[in-house]
Amino acid sequence: MNVNVFLRRTRPTLASLCRLFSAATVNTTPIGALVKTGDRKEARGGGGGGRDTLGGRLLSLTYTKRSAVVTIRKWKEEGHSVRKYELNRIVRELRKIKRYKHALEICEWMVLQEDIKLQPGDYAVHLDLISKIRGLNSAEKFFEDMPDRMRDHAACTSLLHSYVQNKLCDKAEALFKKMSECGFLKSCLPYNHMLSMYISKGEFEKVPGMIKELKAKTSPDIVTYNLWMTAFASGSDVEGAERVYLKVKEANLSPDWVSYSVLTNLYAKSGDIEKAKLALKEMEKLVSRKNRVGYASLISLHGNLGDKDGVDSTWKKIKSLFKKMNDAEYLSVISAVLKLGEFEEAKDLYDEWESVSGTRDARIPNLILAEYMNREEESHLGEKFYERMVEKGIKPSYSTWEILTWGYLKRKDLEKVLDCFGKAVGAVKKWTVNVRLLKAVWEELEEQGDVKGAEKLMSILQKVGHVNTKLYNSLLRTYAKAGEMPLIVEERMAKDNVEMDEETKELIRLTSLMRVTEISTTISHSR
């Protein structure tokens, strides 16, 4: 479609787009030759009338407990040869379908083979897989122990990607600077990693400078332009995003489905439904079997535009193309039909997912749970659904507990609210404060004058180091509502390094005239 015509005729979530771009940029250079159509079939074990291949055996392992190394050894014992380029292609295919453990086992096996000559790109992929399976510390150690000649731009880019994925901004910036000093910024890939990080952190002011530096040293690719458009879209800057879209054409590049996904989202949010629909049509032309991830995005966008027919037709298309739908696709279709008010259909889709998926991904049942808990007359069914989740072996996530907290808050059941809130905080390594939820819980505690509950909430917050003057004032207001006197508040605040303000002093004065209770005495003794 002509770009000028498109813009005349037409004047996603940010976090998910950044994850998508970051995943797209993980291709840390060549782990092998480009895969031709016939070769890909061989690697997947699907070519030649179902003939037996090493790729077919490795890709059919499915369960992580099964060993890729044992499979390779057995293949060799049967008299077959094992070629590096073939293993490289299999690793690539395994990474595509997120079978990282088996891909890592193949990489580790190759390192031990004297007759296999590894290249820097092989080590880069190996590092990325270690980061995914064993964590960043192991990846850093692997990088340090790597032969000097292998620690080139590819390995550094892979480590940079790991820092970005783990949101370690300082380490990423330090490594990026070192890469610049070593002349390792040879492509747009490391720049794309940095752009992805800045956009996900909301540091949009750093984007123009990074783009300028990139252009001075190399050429942007379509991922660069998509990230650039996303930066403008985050600020609802339609004209800015459209200018970048024009630059894509000027650079003799072709917009991809992600480009049109960004524009569709932006137009929909700005209220220009006509342009959103036109951009979505362009996106539909570009999504195909080879870029499957685009189908989930298509469903979500149709749902955002209130297009039930579009949701249904895309879901039908996915089912016709693939034997089994993945979690991302179920997540998008259930979310879309819920958005369109089709709860019964969403429950049917969930039942289908539960019967075929073995991942036990809490994100999918959380959608149904949230819908139940948002319906006051059906919240008791939400509790039963939660029990069903647990029976099916689905581990509650932070979001699960947060959904339950909101649901019980609507019912003003503070005992269950605090129980679920505590479990939510304990479900993550580092808790990010949900200001709206915390405020709502405190307001209900104050309203009910629930001193015992307020002290329990303070105890939860103290364990994660989140106490401040406002929270102590909320505690004091709760005591005031109950007509009770809190003891040693000033000492408690001093111990928590929290300063008093004028409201704190007034509340202490007010409550000092009230009665001392069992709760007050218990708290003072525990200190």
Side-chain angles (χ1 to χ4, degrees):
M1 185 179 190
N2 181 280
V3 64
N4 293 315
V5 172
F6 174 77
L7 290 177
R8 281 200 302 270
R9 291 177 60 188
T10 64
R11 237 322 180 198
T13 66
L14 181 58
S16 62
L17 282 169
C18 286
R19 283 196 298 273
L20 174 63
F21 295 139
S22 192
T25 56
V26 141
N27 184 15
T28 50
T29 3
I31 188 171
L34 292 175
V35 182
K36 298 177 183 177
T37 305
D39 291 334
R40 185 177 284 119
K41 285 182 179 177
E42 180 183 334
R44 290 176 177 166
R51 65 193 176 90
D52 188 22
T53 66
L54 178 58
R57 291 189 188 185
L58 288 166
L59 285 157
S60 67
L61 291 177
T62 307
Y63 297 107
T64 54
K65 289 184 179 179
R66 298 177 69 184
S67 170
V69 174
V70 170
T71 302
I72 296 171
R73 284 176 183 165
K74 190 171 186 300
W75 179 261
K76 289 190 73 176
E77 288 168 3
E78 292 173 4
H80 301 292
S81 61
V82 176
R83 293 161 293 188
K84 177 177 179 285
Y85 77 87
E86 183 182 9
L87 292 176
N88 284 340
R89 288 199 300 267
I90 295 167
V91 168
R92 180 180 174 181
E93 294 297 326
L94 288 168
R95 292 173 79 208
K96 279 184 181 179
I97 56 177
K98 299 184 179 181
R99 294 259 300 283
Y100 302 125
K101 177 181 176 290
H102 289 142
L104 178 57
E105 287 173 357
I106 295 170
C107 288
E108 290 176 333
W109 184 85
M110 286 197 289
V111 170
L112 300 174
Q113 308 310 304
E114 294 182 0
D115 60 334
I116 291 181
K117 186 178 180 181
L118 297 175
Q119 301 297 322
D122 299 314
Y123 277 88
V125 171
H126 194 157
L127 187 151
D128 179 66
L129 290 167
I130 289 174
S131 178
K132 285 179 167 62
I133 297 297
R134 297 184 186 137
L136 185 59
N137 289 340
S138 296
E140 287 180 318
K141 186 175 188 311
F142 178 80
F143 181 80
E144 291 168 6
D145 295 341
M146 201 180 289
D148 289 342
R149 64 188 181 85
M150 297 297 175
R151 204 182 294 116
D152 70 352
H153 68 279
C156 288
T157 301
S158 184
L159 183 60
L160 178 66
H161 175 257
S162 295
Y163 287 149
V164 170
Q165 290 290 86
N166 285 277
K167 298 180 174 61
L168 298 174
C169 188
D170 291 343
K171 283 193 172 185
E173 288 180 330
L175 178 57
F176 186 80
K177 182 180 179 182
K178 189 67 177 177
M179 289 173 69
S180 179
E181 292 169 358
C182 295
F184 285 173
L185 300 179
K186 298 179 178 180
S187 73
C188 61
L189 186 54
Y191 289 98
N192 289 345
H193 287 322
M194 297 301 289
L195 286 168
S196 176
M197 182 179 70
Y198 290 140
I199 292 170
S200 67
K201 288 171 65 66
E203 297 179 359
F204 305 111
E205 70 281 358
K206 295 183 179 180
V207 171
M210 188 61 61
I211 295 285
K212 184 178 180 180
E213 183 182 334
L214 185 162
K215 286 185 170 182
K217 293 187 177 181
T218 184
S219 298
D221 64 5
I222 190 59
V223 174
T224 310
Y225 284 109
N226 287 341
L227 286 163
W228 197 359
M229 277 196 289
T230 300
F232 280 114
S234 65
S236 300
D237 187 344
V238 175
E239 291 184 1
E242 289 179 338
R243 283 197 302 272
V244 176
Y245 177 79
L246 286 169
K247 290 179 185 293
V248 173
K249 293 293 186 176
E250 292 169 3
N252 292 319
L253 293 172
S254 297
D256 62 9
W257 70 266
V258 179
S259 312
Y260 290 112
S261 175
V262 175
L263 289 172
T264 303
N265 241 323
L266 174 58
Y267 291 140
K269 288 179 179 178
S270 63
D272 197 332
I273 304 304
E274 182 186 352
K275 284 189 174 184
K277 288 180 177 178
L278 284 166
L280 188 54
K281 283 183 180 178
E282 294 300 312
M283 177 182 168
E284 285 179 318
K285 296 175 185 177
L286 297 170
V287 176
S288 64
R289 189 185 186 96
K290 69 178 181 181
N291 45 34
R292 178 175 179 171
V293 66
Y295 284 110
S297 182
L298 271 178
I299 288 176
S300 297
L301 292 169
H302 279 298
N304 291 344
L305 293 173
D307 181 8
K308 182 66 163 62
D309 290 340
V311 171
D312 291 342
S313 62
T314 306
W315 184 241
K316 185 177 179 181
K317 178 74 171 177
I318 295 171
K319 286 196 163 188
S320 71
L321 289 173
F322 308 105
K323 290 182 179 180
K324 184 179 178 182
M325 278 58 69
N326 60 39
D327 286 349
E329 288 153 358
Y330 275 108
L331 189 70
S332 63
V333 72
I334 293 173
S335 180
V337 297
L338 283 172
K339 192 171 290 186
L340 294 166
E342 303 288 347
F343 190 27
E344 292 304 316
E345 184 179 350
K347 287 190 284 187
D348 289 341
L349 285 163
Y350 175 78
D351 291 342
E352 180 184 310
W353 170 81
E354 191 180 68
S355 68
V356 299
S357 176
T359 63
R360 298 184 177 87
D361 186 340
R363 293 177 303 163
I364 288 125
N366 280 348
L367 293 171
I368 305 297
L369 179 65
E371 187 66 24
Y372 274 127
M373 298 307 287
N374 284 332
R375 299 174 174 221
E376 289 188 35
E377 70 283 1
E378 294 186 34
S379 62
H380 64 287
L381 296 177
E383 291 179 290
K384 289 183 178 178
F385 183 79
Y386 167 73
E387 291 171 3
R388 171 180 166 181
M389 288 171 59
V390 175
E391 287 172 4
K392 293 292 182 180
I394 298 171
K395 184 181 179 181
S397 66
Y398 171 82
S399 295
T400 308
W401 295 118
E402 194 172 79
I403 289 164
L404 289 168
T405 302
W406 278 115
Y408 290 129
L409 196 56
K410 285 186 176 182
R411 285 163 45 176
K412 300 182 183 298
D413 188 339
L414 285 176
E415 184 177 348
K416 288 184 177 179
V417 165
L418 293 169
D419 179 57
C420 292
F421 185 85
K423 288 175 178 174
V425 173
V428 288
K429 290 181 180 179
K430 185 178 181 181
W431 180 56
T432 301
V433 183
N434 183 330
V435 177
R436 192 167 70 92
L437 178 59
L438 184 57
K439 181 182 178 183
V441 174
W442 270 117
E443 286 177 350
E444 190 58 40
L445 287 165
E446 288 180 36
E447 179 64 28
Q448 293 191 27
D450 187 343
V451 171
K452 185 177 179 181
E455 288 290 3
K456 182 176 180 178
L457 180 56
M458 281 297 286
S459 176
I460 293 169
L461 297 172
Q462 283 169 329
K463 287 176 183 176
V464 292
H466 183 76
V467 285
N468 55 42
T469 306
K470 285 185 177 181
L471 296 182
Y472 264 105
N473 288 347
S474 293
L475 176 67
L476 288 166
R477 284 195 296 271
T478 307
Y479 270 99
K481 179 65 184 269
E484 298 178 10
M485 181 199 299
L487 299 179
I488 62 167
V489 174
E490 295 177 61
E491 291 90 332
R492 290 170 63 183
M493 293 181 72
K495 187 175 180 180
D496 289 329
N497 292 317
V498 175
E499 294 183 0
M500 291 189 289
D501 60 11
E502 290 305 313
E503 184 184 7
T504 314
K505 294 172 184 176
E506 176 59 24
L507 284 166
I508 289 174
R509 186 197 66 75
L510 178 66
T511 54
S512 67
L513 305 174
M514 298 175 179
R515 60 194 173 92
V516 177
T517 66
E518 183 181 344
I519 293 294
S520 306
T521 307
T522 302
I523 294 297
S524 65
H525 286 169
S526 68
R527 290 275 165 166

